[in-house]
């Protein structure tokens, strides 16, 4: 300091305690978990500091992948459904095979009956009323695969 300068008076300010004034507050129902928790800390000199607790931010949880993929589950369910239907499909194919065999047998039976009727018509006994050739073989000798009459 220079001699020409005069010392300046220093003012010291001491904090004053403020008497709490209580005002009735309106109570509004709030869902739990929407209002952050209020924490109060008592300092060594007896003062109480109140404030909101600050929690460290947590990263978003990573979606846990299921042990089995959705595609595998869908394929398995499709296989179970197909297995449930296979019984009905087996019965259906068995029914179609039996029906085919039955129709085949009916066709064969009709062919035998109709063929028999045709054979009777062609080779059956008819009165000989028309011109024709009658051959009577009385004695025939077959020697060495030759017919001698």
């Amino acid at each position: 300091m220079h001699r020409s300068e005069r010392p300046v008076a220093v003012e010291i300010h001491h904090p004053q305690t403020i008497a709490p004034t209580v005002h009735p507050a309106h109570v509004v129902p709030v869902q739990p978990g929407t209002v952050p928790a209020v924490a109060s800390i008592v300092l060594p000199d007896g003062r109480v500091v109140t404030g909101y607790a600050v929690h460290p931010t947590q990263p978003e949880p990573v979606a846990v992948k299921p042990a089995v993929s959705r595609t595998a589950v869908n394929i398995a369910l499709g296989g179970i459904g197909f297995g449930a239907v296979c019984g009905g499909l087996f019965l259906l194919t068995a029914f179609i095979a039996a029906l085919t065999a039955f129709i085949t047998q009916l066709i064969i039976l009709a062919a035998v009956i109709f063929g028999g009727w045709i054979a009777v018509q062609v080779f059956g006994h008819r009165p000989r009323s028309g011109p024709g050739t009658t051959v009577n073989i009385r004695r025939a000798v077959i020697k060495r695969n030759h017919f001698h009459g």
Side-chain angles (χ1 to χ4, degrees):
M1 262 202 245
H2 296 287
R3 291 184 184 232
S4 62
E5 292 182 21
R6 298 175 85 183
V8 179
V10 177
E11 293 183 24
I12 300 176
H13 294 281
H14 294 287
Q16 296 179 355
T17 58
I18 299 174
T21 56
V22 178
H23 297 288
H26 297 288
V27 178
V28 179
V30 179
Q31 295 289 338
T34 58
V35 177
V38 176
S40 296
I41 300 174
V42 179
L43 298 177
D45 62 354
R47 292 182 294 164
V48 177
V49 177
T50 304
Y52 293 110
V54 177
H55 300 290
T57 57
Q58 297 287 337
E60 289 293 322
V62 178
V64 179
K65 292 179 98 177
V68 180
S69 70
R70 278 200 171 288
T71 305
V73 170
N74 289 339
I75 290 172
L77 289 176
I80 291 171
F82 181 73
V85 170
C86 278
L89 290 176
F90 179 72
L91 288 176
L92 181 64
T93 53
F95 174 75
I96 291 173
L99 186 63
T100 303
F102 178 71
I103 291 173
T104 304
Q105 289 177 354
L106 285 179
I107 290 172
I108 292 171
L109 180 64
V112 167
I113 291 174
F114 184 70
W117 181 76
I118 295 289
V120 167
Q121 295 301 317
V122 171
F123 300 114
H125 184 300
R126 289 185 289 179
R128 308 250 182 219
S129 62
T133 305
T134 303
V135 177
N136 292 322
I137 301 175
R138 304 229 175 183
R139 270 188 329 183
V141 179
I142 300 174
K143 291 183 179 176
R144 292 189 190 155
N145 296 328
H146 292 288
F147 178 74
H148 300 281

